[in-house]
Amino acid sequence: MKEQLRQIEETASAAISSCTDLRALDELRVKFLGKKGELTAILKQMGKLSAEERPVMGQLANEVRGKLESMISEKSAALQEAAKAAKIAAESLDVTMPGKRPAMGRLHPLQIVENEIKEIFLGMGFSVADGPEVEYDYYNFEALNLPPNHPARDTQDTFYITENILLRTQTSSVQVHVMENQKPPIRVISPGRVYRSDAVDATHSPLFHQIEGLVVDKGITMADLKGTLELLMQRLYGDDCKIRLRPHHFPFTEPSAEVDVMCFNCHGEGCRVCKGEGYIELLGAGMVHPKVLEGCGIDSSVYSGFAFGLGLERIVMRRYNISDMRLLFENDMRFLEQFR
């Protein structure tokens, strides 16, 4: 038995010393010191020894067990320290290496032009108003002098959620909220998304953006409207840009006008782009209808105002010579990366 104990000690010591893995070290512990290990198997034979031999063999067995446990403990600590050092070395950061510049995002062309238009109007003393995209029929139509039988209320043209709730077709509804809650003088623009049941093509989309403006004060005339829009277009397209107003009809303004901007391609001489007109239709405008003012609690005998609405996509397409509106919504990075 003494030879067996010495053999276990020698074999285990060699295996522990050469071990390079914590899992393998634990397997060695179980192999030699576990309940079914080799040393335990020897100790189970102690009952066969004489009374004189038992203390001697017991002392030797304890010495072997103590030595192996100590070796395993020391080896485990060494392997853990080596693993920690290796992990630190692998995860260390070389501060002398050049960094990787992260990809920088940029504004969408719609947002670029919207921000520019906001700055122009803020410079003229306007404020920016916001409102719900899911709107009551009253604010979207009735308060704007659009009667129940008006074609714009057709379910083929408008996204109705219920009989009285819909996705707004224009940001004019924001102007009504402003007039109900603010006394004149009023100078606001209301940019935002609007929705109409249009088929998607190069010039139409069921979702697009509008920027509508409203001024209400004493003595406001069409001259104020024309001067405001002229300044806007000159800031957007250059000081030589001209506009013209053509008579039109909108239920919420009277008189009303379509506003054309001088063709950026031919500068008013007439070409293929403007179909020989020299001007391109860009937005609608007019003097706020007295009925709209009265419906919002504003005395139309004292106050007057003008309103206008322009499609942001149309402005952007003119600004960057984009021929297909769908490019603005398809999120093609090859297209979007052109704009800074």
Side-chain angles (χ1 to χ4, degrees):
M1 183 178 288
K2 182 177 181 180
E3 289 76 14
Q4 289 177 312
L5 288 172
R6 292 301 181 190
Q7 181 63 42
I8 290 172
E9 179 185 5
E10 182 180 346
T11 303
S13 297
I16 293 169
S17 298
S18 61
C19 185
T20 58
D21 181 76
L22 285 169
R23 180 177 294 181
L25 182 65
D26 190 61
E27 291 174 354
L28 290 175
R29 180 189 63 78
V30 173
K31 178 181 178 181
F32 292 106
L33 304 177
K35 291 182 179 180
K36 297 182 180 180
E38 294 183 14
L39 182 60
T40 305
I42 295 297
L43 294 175
K44 288 180 179 179
Q45 300 176 23
M46 295 285 288
K48 299 178 182 180
L49 299 176
S50 64
E52 294 80 10
E53 292 177 318
R54 286 175 191 169
V56 176
M57 290 298 105
Q59 182 179 357
L60 179 60
N62 287 334
E63 289 176 357
V64 173
R65 175 183 288 278
K67 180 180 179 179
L68 296 182
E69 287 178 343
S70 178
M71 289 185 66
I72 290 172
S73 178
E74 292 175 0
K75 190 66 174 181
S76 176
L79 290 176
Q80 289 179 12
E81 189 64 29
K84 180 180 178 181
K87 184 177 181 181
I88 292 174
E91 296 178 354
S92 63
L93 176 65
D94 185 354
V95 296
T96 65
M97 290 288 287
K100 294 182 179 179
R101 185 183 295 275
M104 296 295 291
R106 59 193 67 182
L107 292 177
H108 192 279
L110 287 171
Q111 192 63 57
I112 293 173
V113 177
E114 180 180 323
N115 289 348
E116 186 172 345
I117 293 174
K118 285 180 180 178
E119 287 298 320
I120 293 171
F121 280 107
L122 288 172
M124 290 191 284
F126 283 68
S127 59
V128 179
D130 194 15
E133 294 181 20
V134 179
E135 187 58 275
Y136 286 104
D137 178 277
Y138 171 80
Y139 288 101
N140 196 80
F141 291 127
E142 188 174 339
L144 293 168
N145 199 30
L146 289 160
N149 60 349
H150 195 278
R153 295 187 180 224
D154 195 314
T155 55
Q156 299 298 314
D157 298 321
T158 303
F159 292 108
Y160 275 92
I161 297 173
T162 68
E163 290 186 359
N164 296 315
I165 299 176
L166 48 85
L167 297 181
R168 68 183 182 189
T169 62
Q170 54 200 356
T171 57
S172 302
S173 57
V174 179
Q175 300 175 3
V176 177
H177 287 290
V178 170
M179 286 189 287
E180 283 186 344
N181 294 284
Q182 180 179 334
K183 295 181 179 180
I186 297 171
R187 289 175 176 81
V188 296
I189 58 169
S190 51
R193 288 185 293 263
V194 297
Y195 307 84
R196 296 181 188 176
S197 186
D198 290 331
V200 178
D201 59 29
T203 57
H204 295 84
S205 170
L207 180 153
F208 58 100
H209 299 74
Q210 276 191 342
I211 298 179
E212 301 208 14
L214 171 71
V215 172
V216 179
D217 204 346
K218 296 177 180 179
I220 299 297
T221 67
M222 284 288 285
D224 299 306
L225 169 61
K226 186 174 185 293
T228 300
L229 295 179
E230 274 187 339
L231 179 58
L232 170 65
M233 296 307 165
Q234 288 171 1
R235 292 287 301 274
L236 287 174
Y237 299 115
D239 292 340
D240 62 339
C241 182
K242 298 179 181 179
I243 66 170
R244 71 178 184 186
L245 277 63
R246 292 181 291 107
H248 196 70
H249 169 70
F250 296 113
F252 35 85
T253 54
E254 181 61 38
S256 305
E258 289 281 11
V259 182
D260 302 333
V261 64
M262 186 175 65
C263 178
F264 61 85
N265 188 59
C266 67
H267 297 282
E269 295 182 4
C271 66
R272 178 183 58 82
V273 175
C274 61
K275 300 179 181 179
E277 288 289 323
Y279 284 80
I280 299 172
E281 178 186 327
L282 206 58
L283 61 112
M287 301 300 294
V288 181
H289 198 291
K291 187 174 181 180
V292 174
L293 293 174
E294 295 290 346
C296 296
I298 297 175
D299 189 346
S300 61
S301 66
V302 177
Y303 295 99
S304 60
F306 67 76
F308 59 86
L310 55 90
L312 181 59
E313 282 79 4
R314 187 173 293 183
I315 296 289
V316 173
M317 291 172 71
R318 293 284 180 265
R319 179 71 172 277
Y320 295 114
N321 294 338
I322 299 170
S323 59
D324 194 324
M325 184 187 294
R326 288 170 291 193
L327 291 170
L328 297 172
F329 299 104
E330 290 175 347
N331 295 325
D332 189 329
M333 293 303 296
R334 295 170 300 177
F335 170 76
L336 296 177
E337 285 177 348
Q338 302 176 72
F339 304 93
R340 295 184 180 274

